[in-house]
Amino acid sequence: MNHYLIPANTKKGQLILGLFRPVDLVLFGSGILITLLFLLTIQMTSTLVTIIILAPALITGFLVVPVPYYHNMLIVISELIEFFKNQRRYKWKGWCVGLGIRKQKRKKIK
């Protein structure tokens, strides 16, 4: 009999450093790049400005941080995006339309 045993960490071996996908690193890198550009161009004069300058790195870091149920969080985020992208007006024609109850006039054959 040919039974193959698949190790539990096969998916983890396909990730960079065992944690990140290439898309995650590109996303985090773009957040870091934007933050560095802000640091070079904007002077930090108050706490609010500092938070705004560091926001891209913090947000992208939060998005790519490994969480125990990563796939579930990915599905939740994609469902939220799908909800906001889809049609907002729901067409409702009443409760009896789905039952197929309609009175049709029959033509009399002469």
Side-chain angles (χ1 to χ4, degrees):
M1 290 186 174
N2 292 329
H3 293 287
Y4 297 104
L5 180 62
I6 299 173
N9 61 355
T10 55
K11 288 285 187 183
K12 197 171 187 177
Q14 297 173 353
L15 301 175
I16 299 170
L17 300 176
L19 297 172
F20 303 106
R21 297 179 303 165
V23 174
D24 296 336
L25 293 180
V26 168
L27 182 68
F28 185 59
S30 64
I32 294 292
L33 183 67
I34 292 170
T35 300
L36 287 175
L37 290 174
F38 283 167
L39 284 171
L40 293 174
T41 58
I42 301 172
Q43 293 182 356
M44 290 187 269
T45 56
S46 69
T47 307
L48 181 62
V49 174
T50 306
I51 291 171
I52 292 172
I53 289 173
L54 296 176
L58 294 174
I59 291 170
T60 56
F62 176 73
L63 287 175
V64 300
V65 69
V67 294
Y69 301 105
Y70 178 72
H71 180 71
N72 293 346
M73 294 305 295
L74 191 65
I75 295 298
V76 166
I77 291 170
S78 64
E79 290 295 325
L80 283 172
I81 291 170
E82 220 26 62
F83 173 76
F84 286 116
K85 278 178 30 180
N86 283 345
Q87 175 183 348
R88 293 297 177 128
R89 178 180 286 167
Y90 299 103
K91 298 175 182 172
W92 185 70
K93 296 181 181 180
W95 61 271
C96 63
V97 173
L99 298 175
I101 302 171
R102 290 186 181 179
K103 294 182 180 178
Q104 297 179 354
K105 295 180 181 178
R106 295 184 181 187
K107 294 182 181 178
K108 292 183 181 180
I109 301 174
K110 291 185 181 181

